[in-house]
Amino acid sequence: MIHLRRVLILLSILFVCLTGCSGHIECNSVQAQANAPSEDGFSGYVVDRKDDSILVVDPAYRDNSSNGGADRYYPAKWFSNAPDPQIGSYVEVWTDGSPENQPYPGQARADKIAVSCPNTPDGAHMTDADAIRSGLHSLDTENMHIPVIEDTRFDADTGTWTIQMRDVKTANEGQVVHVTVKDEKQVKIQGEE
């Protein structure tokens, strides 16, 4: 089941790259400092960053209720050695094999990072990554512990994006946050390039 999920995620990344990339945007870039990893990576959205570390949250939750755990458990990890991916990017991260810290969210050292191509729908000025980044910096999300990006939609008629999110702390209570972002030229957040 987990392998099927990973295959589906990898196919979605490939589809986004094939349909959303142009020659002028560097996407699906890979940062590698050592040998190629031997196992599947950790996929998800970059929802926070501190110095050279990024917090990646997988939007595909696991149901741990049969073990007495949460109905919606969203895997999340801080990866150090990750200077490039911006908040809002969808990434796959492989570790260098060093021991990982297990408290939630986990912590590991990135060895290789693949960034998927951002998608710009017809009529939009922003990419989905820009809209997510803007939505994560809005007042609607300032009190979220760890945000989970579930969906992004662009409405060309209104010129707005809707980002559907949850907070991992309230995910099992069914609380969904819909953040509306006005489609504008690329949003630059202070402290990011």
Side-chain angles (χ1 to χ4, degrees):
M1 181 74 169
I2 292 174
H3 293 293
L4 177 61
R5 179 174 60 103
R6 288 183 179 160
V7 168
L8 290 174
I9 289 172
L10 289 174
L11 286 174
S12 346
I13 291 171
L14 178 63
F15 177 75
V16 168
C17 287
L18 292 175
T19 60
C21 289
S22 71
H24 303 300
I25 299 172
E26 184 179 331
C27 58
N28 205 17
S29 62
V30 177
Q31 168 201 0
Q33 286 84 22
N35 295 334
S38 59
E39 296 182 20
D40 291 335
F42 185 91
S43 299
Y45 288 98
V46 177
V47 297
D48 198 1
R49 73 173 303 115
K50 292 178 184 158
D51 301 321
D52 76 339
S53 296
I54 56 174
L55 176 59
V56 179
V57 180
D58 186 344
Y61 66 87
R62 289 186 282 203
D63 184 351
N64 292 340
S65 60
S66 63
N67 301 357
D71 292 349
R72 289 178 176 263
Y73 171 80
Y74 292 93
K77 285 187 186 179
W78 277 101
F79 291 97
S80 63
N81 194 37
D84 295 331
Q86 290 188 341
I87 292 175
S89 301
Y90 191 87
V91 298
E92 185 165 9
V93 183
W94 293 268
T95 64
D96 63 3
S98 59
E100 296 184 18
N101 293 334
Q102 291 305 317
Y104 189 81
Q107 297 176 1
R109 180 174 168 78
D111 181 46
K112 178 180 169 184
I113 301 171
V115 181
S116 70
C117 300
N119 181 31
T120 307
D122 289 339
H125 293 97
M126 300 169 73
T127 66
D128 53 354
D130 294 331
I132 290 168
R133 184 171 34 260
S134 182
L136 285 169
H137 288 91
S138 74
L139 293 175
D140 296 327
T141 60
E142 69 181 13
N143 292 322
M144 282 193 169
H145 176 65
I146 298 176
V148 178
I149 309 302
E150 291 188 331
D151 190 30
T152 59
R153 296 189 190 270
F154 176 67
D155 184 340
D157 293 336
T158 62
T160 58
W161 289 83
T162 301
I163 297 93
Q164 180 177 314
M165 302 182 209
R166 291 180 191 264
D167 186 340
V168 295
K169 280 191 167 184
T170 60
N172 291 308
E173 299 168 15
Q175 295 179 358
V176 178
V177 176
H178 292 90
V179 178
T180 303
V181 175
K182 183 175 166 68
D183 185 58
E184 301 173 331
K185 299 279 185 195
Q186 186 174 4
V187 175
K188 301 259 186 205
I189 303 298
Q190 186 177 13
E192 289 188 5
E193 294 180 7

